[in-house]
């Protein structure tokens, strides 16, 4: 079945996997809300999504994931509209070669890749808390290079390695999914995470210097296209294709058993509690 007439919110929707997924879902007949920080780029993406489908009621939501204040304000404004929502695709992400901080002073990769979607999902959850709704979190197999959440250095102040910090944030996505699925078990809401594959996207192009030019070009030769990377998130967004399971990790549209530290219920609960403190938001019981 397709995503026909479903209202789907996609974060990080101006390029890469997010835009490719949005266009595929629009072609299915879904109504899209595209979330991005750049108003000019999101208008271009909106035009592409409209061209991919046969409806013109798609919309955009300006939101900067490097600012929890921006996430909170935009999400609350969306809720206040009184609109419905069927699927949330948490796709936005970043990686920095050097340590940077978010507006609130948190390490930026952790803030953008985990704290921002954690807060966004919590604020939007009342709209999604009914049977058949879905929350899809784009993680990555890079979680495997870390062996657990570093609760003693969540902000990477002691040691900063870009790939390790990125993998750490993707592990956080997976543990968030595990705990959220457990909390929503009786609601009929499906919550799963996924690895999209090694995809050539714009990730990391915000870094300065020659590497910001070289890396994306190298990636194109060896990695999946954004359209190929969008296959699994789109699969999980569609009404029946994603199955009836929750709390799982998907690769190439199949359930895969991840490393033990990505399913550790104690770590998932602790991360949840710490995340609530950091974003100053409590999920409804």
């Amino acid at each position: 079945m397709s995503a026909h007439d479903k209202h789907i919110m996609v974060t990080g929707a101006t390029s890469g996997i997010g835009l490719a997924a949005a266009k595929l879902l629009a072609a299915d007949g879904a109504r899209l809300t595209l979330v991005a920080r750049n108003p000019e780029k999101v208008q271009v993406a909106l035009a592409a999504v409209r061209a991919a489908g046969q409806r013109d009621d798609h919309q955009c939501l300006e939101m900067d994931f490097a600012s929890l204040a921006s996430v909170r304000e935009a999400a609350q404004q969306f809720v206040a509209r009184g609109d419905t929502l069927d699927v949330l695709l948490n796709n936005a992400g970043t990686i920095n070669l050097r340590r940077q901080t978010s507006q609130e002073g948190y390490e930026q990769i952790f803030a953008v890749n985990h704290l921002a979607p954690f807060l966004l999902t919590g604020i939007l959850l009342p709209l999604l808390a009914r049977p058949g709704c879905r929350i899809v979190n784009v993680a990555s197999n890079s979680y495997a290079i870390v062996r657990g959440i570093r609760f003693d250095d969540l902000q990477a102040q002691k040691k900063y390695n870009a790939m390790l910090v990125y993998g750490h944030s993707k592990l956080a996505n997976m543990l968030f999914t595990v705990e959220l699925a457990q909390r929503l078990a009786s609601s009929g809401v499906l919550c799963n995470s996924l690895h999209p594959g090694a995809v050539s996207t714009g990730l990391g192009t915000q870094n300065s210097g020659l590497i910001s030019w070289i890396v994306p070009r190298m990636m194109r030769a060896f990695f999946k296209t954004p359209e190929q990377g969008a296959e699994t998130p789109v699969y999980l967004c569609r009404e029946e294709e994603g199955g009836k399971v929750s709390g799982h990790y998907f690769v190439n549209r199949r359930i895969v058993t991840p490393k033990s530290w990505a399913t550790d219920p104690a770590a998932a609960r602790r991360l949840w509690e710490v995340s609530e403190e950091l974003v100053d938001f409590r999920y409804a019981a």
Side-chain angles (χ1 to χ4, degrees), residues 15-265:
S15 63
I17 295 170
L19 178 57
K23 289 163 67 175
L24 288 170
L25 292 165
D28 272 353
R31 177 164 66 97
L32 278 298
T33 291
L34 308 183
V35 179
R37 64 177 179 174
N38 186 305
E40 290 79 21
K41 287 184 178 180
V42 80
Q43 288 301 322
V44 173
L46 198 59
V49 167
R50 285 172 175 157
Q54 297 184 357
R55 55 193 308 163
D56 59 5
D57 55 350
H58 307 298
Q59 59 187 338
C60 57
L61 184 64
E62 189 175 337
M63 184 184 299
D64 183 357
F65 268 37
S67 166
L68 293 177
S70 173
V71 174
R72 191 184 310 272
E73 180 180 4
Q76 289 175 341
Q77 288 176 354
F78 181 85
V79 172
R81 294 177 187 174
D83 204 349
T84 60
L85 187 64
D86 300 293
V87 181
L88 172 61
L89 173 54
N90 283 315
N91 163 75
T94 192
I95 186 170
N96 300 313
L97 298 179
R98 299 176 182 84
R99 189 180 186 278
Q100 298 183 38
T101 56
S102 68
Q103 181 174 306
E104 287 76 17
Y106 299 135
E107 189 282 313
Q108 195 174 84
I109 297 177
F110 185 71
V112 170
N113 294 3
H114 170 62
L115 293 180
F118 180 87
L119 176 60
L120 175 64
T121 303
I123 295 174
L124 297 181
L125 197 55
L127 304 181
L128 293 159
R130 65 187 190 280
C133 287
R134 294 173 183 233
I135 298 166
V136 179
N137 296 323
V138 177
S140 166
N141 273 351
S142 63
Y143 85 90
I145 66 176
V146 296
R147 300 186 67 86
I149 291 292
R150 299 179 297 178
F151 288 105
D152 63 336
D153 193 25
L154 284 177
Q155 306 306 326
Q157 292 173 310
K158 298 178 181 179
K159 180 180 180 181
Y160 188 86
N161 175 289
M163 289 310 300
L164 288 175
V165 173
Y166 180 76
H168 188 253
S169 72
K170 296 289 100 179
L171 173 59
N173 293 158
M174 296 171 69
L175 290 174
F176 167 49
T177 303
V178 168
E179 180 67 10
L180 182 60
Q182 190 277 326
R183 289 171 179 248
L184 296 177
S186 63
S187 69
V189 180
L190 303 182
C191 180
N192 293 292
S193 63
L194 67 103
H195 170 58
V199 180
S200 175
T201 70
L203 192 69
T205 54
Q206 76 280 3
N207 293 284
S208 61
L210 185 61
I211 194 166
S212 68
W213 185 89
I214 292 175
V215 171
R217 285 155 180 80
M218 291 175 61
M219 289 170 65
R220 291 191 193 112
F222 302 103
F223 288 9
K224 288 183 177 181
T225 65
E227 290 72 23
Q228 291 169 328
E231 290 177 358
T232 299
V234 167
Y235 173 80
L236 290 172
C237 286
R238 284 173 169 153
E239 187 169 346
E240 288 189 2
E241 285 193 4
K244 299 297 183 183
V245 299
S246 191
H248 289 276
Y249 181 58
F250 283 75
V251 180
N252 293 327
R253 298 187 296 181
R254 292 183 175 85
I255 295 173
V256 171
T257 301
K259 304 291 186 183
S260 59
W261 54 85
T263 59
D264 182 350

